[in-house]
Short mmCIF file of all heavy atoms in Angstrom, two decimals:
data_model
loop_
_atom_site.label_atom_id
_atom_site.label_comp_id
_atom_site.label_asym_id
_atom_site.label_seq_id
_atom_site.Cartn_x
_atom_site.Cartn_y
_atom_site.Cartn_z
N LEU A 245 45.02 10.01 -10.17
CA LEU A 245 45.20 8.80 -9.37
C LEU A 245 44.89 9.05 -7.89
O LEU A 245 44.11 8.27 -7.26
CB LEU A 245 46.59 8.28 -9.56
CG LEU A 245 46.99 7.77 -10.94
CD1 LEU A 245 48.47 7.53 -11.07
CD2 LEU A 245 46.20 6.48 -11.27
N LEU A 246 45.42 10.08 -7.35
CA LEU A 246 45.24 10.37 -5.93
C LEU A 246 43.77 10.65 -5.60
O LEU A 246 43.23 10.10 -4.62
CB LEU A 246 46.12 11.56 -5.50
CG LEU A 246 47.60 11.28 -5.33
CD1 LEU A 246 48.40 12.57 -5.46
CD2 LEU A 246 47.85 10.59 -3.97
N SER A 247 43.14 11.45 -6.42
CA SER A 247 41.77 11.86 -6.12
C SER A 247 40.75 10.74 -6.28
O SER A 247 39.91 10.49 -5.43
CB SER A 247 41.34 12.99 -7.07
OG SER A 247 42.13 14.19 -6.84
N ILE A 248 40.86 9.99 -7.35
CA ILE A 248 39.93 8.89 -7.58
C ILE A 248 40.17 7.77 -6.53
O ILE A 248 39.20 7.17 -6.07
CB ILE A 248 40.05 8.32 -9.02
CG1 ILE A 248 39.72 9.46 -10.01
CG2 ILE A 248 39.09 7.19 -9.22
CD1 ILE A 248 38.38 10.15 -9.84
N TYR A 249 41.42 7.47 -6.23
CA TYR A 249 41.72 6.48 -5.23
C TYR A 249 41.22 6.95 -3.85
O TYR A 249 40.78 6.13 -3.05
CB TYR A 249 43.19 6.10 -5.23
CG TYR A 249 43.56 4.93 -6.05
CD1 TYR A 249 43.36 4.93 -7.42
CD2 TYR A 249 44.12 3.79 -5.48
CE1 TYR A 249 43.69 3.83 -8.21
CE2 TYR A 249 44.46 2.68 -6.24
CZ TYR A 249 44.21 2.73 -7.61
OH TYR A 249 44.53 1.60 -8.37
N ALA A 250 41.41 8.22 -3.54
CA ALA A 250 40.99 8.74 -2.24
C ALA A 250 39.45 8.61 -2.13
O ALA A 250 38.92 8.36 -1.05
CB ALA A 250 41.38 10.19 -2.13
N LYS A 251 38.77 8.70 -3.28
CA LYS A 251 37.33 8.60 -3.29
C LYS A 251 36.87 7.15 -3.06
O LYS A 251 35.73 6.88 -2.74
CB LYS A 251 36.83 9.09 -4.64
CG LYS A 251 35.32 9.23 -4.75
CD LYS A 251 34.94 9.66 -6.18
CE LYS A 251 33.44 9.67 -6.31
NZ LYS A 251 33.05 9.71 -7.74
N GLY A 252 37.80 6.22 -3.22
CA GLY A 252 37.52 4.82 -2.94
C GLY A 252 37.28 3.98 -4.18
O GLY A 252 36.91 2.80 -4.05
N GLU A 253 37.46 4.52 -5.36
CA GLU A 253 37.24 3.81 -6.60
C GLU A 253 38.58 3.20 -7.11
O GLU A 253 39.64 3.85 -7.02
CB GLU A 253 36.58 4.71 -7.68
CG GLU A 253 35.24 5.24 -7.28
CD GLU A 253 34.50 5.85 -8.41
OE1 GLU A 253 34.67 5.42 -9.56
OE2 GLU A 253 33.69 6.80 -8.18
N ARG A 254 38.47 1.99 -7.67
CA ARG A 254 39.62 1.26 -8.16
C ARG A 254 39.30 0.66 -9.53
O ARG A 254 38.18 0.31 -9.82
CB ARG A 254 40.07 0.14 -7.24
CG ARG A 254 40.30 0.55 -5.80
CD ARG A 254 41.57 1.33 -5.61
NE ARG A 254 41.90 1.56 -4.25
CZ ARG A 254 41.50 2.64 -3.56
NH1 ARG A 254 40.72 3.51 -4.14
NH2 ARG A 254 41.83 2.80 -2.31
N PRO A 255 40.30 0.57 -10.44
CA PRO A 255 40.05 -0.16 -11.70
C PRO A 255 39.91 -1.62 -11.34
O PRO A 255 40.63 -2.16 -10.52
CB PRO A 255 41.32 0.15 -12.52
CG PRO A 255 42.37 0.51 -11.53
CD PRO A 255 41.69 1.12 -10.35
N SER A 256 38.97 -2.32 -12.05
CA SER A 256 38.80 -3.75 -11.78
C SER A 256 38.47 -4.43 -13.08
O SER A 256 37.55 -4.01 -13.76
CB SER A 256 37.70 -3.98 -10.74
OG SER A 256 36.45 -3.43 -11.23
N GLY A 257 39.16 -5.49 -13.40
CA GLY A 257 38.89 -6.26 -14.63
C GLY A 257 38.98 -5.29 -15.83
O GLY A 257 39.97 -4.56 -16.00
N SER A 258 37.92 -5.29 -16.68
CA SER A 258 37.91 -4.45 -17.83
C SER A 258 37.31 -3.06 -17.49
O SER A 258 37.22 -2.19 -18.41
CB SER A 258 37.13 -5.10 -18.92
OG SER A 258 35.80 -5.29 -18.51
N SER A 259 36.90 -2.82 -16.28
CA SER A 259 36.25 -1.62 -15.91
C SER A 259 37.26 -0.61 -15.35
O SER A 259 37.93 -0.86 -14.33
CB SER A 259 35.18 -1.84 -14.80
OG SER A 259 34.60 -0.62 -14.40
N ASP A 260 37.45 0.49 -16.09
CA ASP A 260 38.37 1.53 -15.64
C ASP A 260 37.88 2.85 -16.20
O ASP A 260 38.50 3.45 -17.09
CB ASP A 260 39.80 1.22 -16.16
CG ASP A 260 40.88 2.13 -15.60
OD1 ASP A 260 40.53 2.97 -14.76
OD2 ASP A 260 42.00 2.10 -16.07
N PRO A 261 36.74 3.30 -15.64
CA PRO A 261 36.06 4.50 -16.27
C PRO A 261 36.91 5.77 -16.24
O PRO A 261 36.70 6.65 -17.11
CB PRO A 261 34.76 4.65 -15.45
CG PRO A 261 35.04 3.91 -14.17
CD PRO A 261 35.99 2.79 -14.55
N TYR A 262 37.79 5.90 -15.34
CA TYR A 262 38.67 7.11 -15.24
C TYR A 262 39.97 6.91 -15.93
O TYR A 262 40.86 7.79 -15.81
CB TYR A 262 38.85 7.51 -13.79
CG TYR A 262 37.61 8.00 -13.08
CD1 TYR A 262 36.83 7.19 -12.28
CD2 TYR A 262 37.11 9.33 -13.25
CE1 TYR A 262 35.66 7.64 -11.65
CE2 TYR A 262 36.00 9.81 -12.67
CZ TYR A 262 35.25 8.96 -11.85
OH TYR A 262 34.14 9.42 -11.26
N ALA A 263 40.20 5.77 -16.58
CA ALA A 263 41.43 5.49 -17.29
C ALA A 263 42.62 5.61 -16.34
O ALA A 263 43.64 6.26 -16.68
CB ALA A 263 41.62 6.35 -18.48
N LEU A 264 42.49 5.01 -15.12
CA LEU A 264 43.58 5.12 -14.17
C LEU A 264 44.83 4.31 -14.55
O LEU A 264 45.95 4.73 -14.28
CB LEU A 264 43.04 4.63 -12.79
CG LEU A 264 41.85 5.39 -12.22
CD1 LEU A 264 41.34 4.77 -10.93
CD2 LEU A 264 42.20 6.87 -12.02
N ARG A 265 44.59 3.18 -15.22
CA ARG A 265 45.77 2.42 -15.67
C ARG A 265 46.56 3.18 -16.73
O ARG A 265 47.74 3.21 -16.70
CB ARG A 265 45.29 1.05 -16.23
CG ARG A 265 44.65 0.13 -15.24
CD ARG A 265 44.42 -1.22 -15.88
NE ARG A 265 43.66 -2.13 -15.00
CZ ARG A 265 42.34 -2.40 -15.11
NH1 ARG A 265 41.67 -1.85 -16.08
NH2 ARG A 265 41.79 -3.26 -14.26
N ARG A 266 45.79 3.87 -17.59
CA ARG A 266 46.48 4.70 -18.63
C ARG A 266 47.24 5.81 -17.94
O ARG A 266 48.31 6.19 -18.41
CB ARG A 266 45.43 5.20 -19.60
CG ARG A 266 46.09 5.88 -20.78
CD ARG A 266 45.00 6.19 -21.84
NE ARG A 266 44.04 7.20 -21.35
CZ ARG A 266 42.87 7.42 -21.95
NH1 ARG A 266 42.53 6.76 -23.01
NH2 ARG A 266 42.06 8.32 -21.48
N ALA A 267 46.66 6.44 -16.91
CA ALA A 267 47.34 7.48 -16.19
C ALA A 267 48.64 6.95 -15.55
O ALA A 267 49.68 7.62 -15.60
CB ALA A 267 46.41 8.07 -15.11
N GLY A 268 48.60 5.77 -14.99
CA GLY A 268 49.75 5.18 -14.36
C GLY A 268 50.85 4.93 -15.42
O GLY A 268 52.07 5.21 -15.23
N ASN A 269 50.40 4.41 -16.56
CA ASN A 269 51.37 4.20 -17.67
C ASN A 269 52.02 5.49 -18.09
O ASN A 269 53.20 5.61 -18.38
CB ASN A 269 50.67 3.59 -18.90
CG ASN A 269 50.36 2.13 -18.68
OD1 ASN A 269 50.86 1.47 -17.81
ND2 ASN A 269 49.50 1.55 -19.52
N GLY A 270 51.20 6.54 -18.17
CA GLY A 270 51.66 7.88 -18.56
C GLY A 270 52.78 8.39 -17.65
O GLY A 270 53.77 8.95 -18.06
N VAL A 271 52.56 8.27 -16.36
CA VAL A 271 53.55 8.66 -15.32
C VAL A 271 54.91 8.01 -15.64
O VAL A 271 55.94 8.61 -15.66
CB VAL A 271 53.08 8.35 -13.91
CG1 VAL A 271 54.20 8.53 -12.93
CG2 VAL A 271 51.88 9.27 -13.50
N LEU A 272 54.85 6.67 -15.81
CA LEU A 272 56.11 5.93 -16.00
C LEU A 272 56.76 6.29 -17.35
O LEU A 272 57.98 6.52 -17.41
CB LEU A 272 55.79 4.41 -15.98
CG LEU A 272 55.24 3.93 -14.65
CD1 LEU A 272 54.72 2.49 -14.76
CD2 LEU A 272 56.28 4.01 -13.59
N LEU A 273 55.98 6.38 -18.39
CA LEU A 273 56.55 6.66 -19.71
C LEU A 273 57.21 8.06 -19.74
O LEU A 273 58.26 8.20 -20.35
CB LEU A 273 55.44 6.58 -20.78
CG LEU A 273 54.94 5.18 -21.07
CD1 LEU A 273 53.72 5.23 -22.01
CD2 LEU A 273 56.03 4.31 -21.71
N ILE A 274 56.58 8.98 -19.08
CA ILE A 274 57.18 10.36 -19.05
C ILE A 274 58.47 10.34 -18.28
O ILE A 274 59.48 10.91 -18.72
CB ILE A 274 56.17 11.34 -18.47
CG1 ILE A 274 54.98 11.57 -19.39
CG2 ILE A 274 56.86 12.67 -18.14
CD1 ILE A 274 53.79 12.27 -18.75
N LEU A 275 58.48 9.73 -17.08
CA LEU A 275 59.74 9.65 -16.30
C LEU A 275 60.84 8.94 -17.07
O LEU A 275 61.98 9.34 -17.08
CB LEU A 275 59.44 8.94 -14.98
CG LEU A 275 58.56 9.72 -13.94
CD1 LEU A 275 58.34 8.84 -12.76
CD2 LEU A 275 59.29 11.04 -13.52
N TRP A 276 60.51 7.82 -17.69
CA TRP A 276 61.48 7.06 -18.46
C TRP A 276 62.06 7.88 -19.61
O TRP A 276 63.22 7.91 -19.89
CB TRP A 276 60.91 5.76 -18.97
CG TRP A 276 60.70 4.73 -17.87
CD1 TRP A 276 61.19 4.74 -16.61
CD2 TRP A 276 59.81 3.57 -17.91
NE1 TRP A 276 60.73 3.69 -15.90
CE2 TRP A 276 59.93 2.89 -16.66
CE3 TRP A 276 59.06 2.99 -18.95
CZ2 TRP A 276 59.24 1.72 -16.42
CZ3 TRP A 276 58.41 1.81 -18.64
CH2 TRP A 276 58.48 1.20 -17.43
N GLU A 277 61.12 8.54 -20.33
CA GLU A 277 61.59 9.29 -21.52
C GLU A 277 62.37 10.52 -21.14
O GLU A 277 63.40 10.85 -21.79
CB GLU A 277 60.34 9.71 -22.37
CG GLU A 277 60.65 10.15 -23.74
CD GLU A 277 60.97 11.62 -23.83
OE1 GLU A 277 60.61 12.37 -22.91
OE2 GLU A 277 61.64 12.02 -24.83
N ARG A 278 62.04 11.18 -20.05
CA ARG A 278 62.80 12.39 -19.61
C ARG A 278 64.06 12.03 -18.84
O ARG A 278 64.94 12.88 -18.69
CB ARG A 278 61.94 13.29 -18.70
CG ARG A 278 60.61 13.78 -19.20
CD ARG A 278 60.69 14.43 -20.56
NE ARG A 278 61.40 15.69 -20.57
CZ ARG A 278 61.60 16.43 -21.68
NH1 ARG A 278 61.19 15.97 -22.86
NH2 ARG A 278 62.28 17.54 -21.64
N GLY A 279 64.14 10.77 -18.37
CA GLY A 279 65.31 10.39 -17.62
C GLY A 279 65.36 10.99 -16.19
O GLY A 279 66.41 11.14 -15.62
#
């Protein structure tokens, strides 16, 4: 997330070539599951 955003790329509409939304979901799911 940090590297691709620093590069200036963002997910838009259905375009998310680096699966950044999935990465964000992963961060949250891991924190929630581990408590």
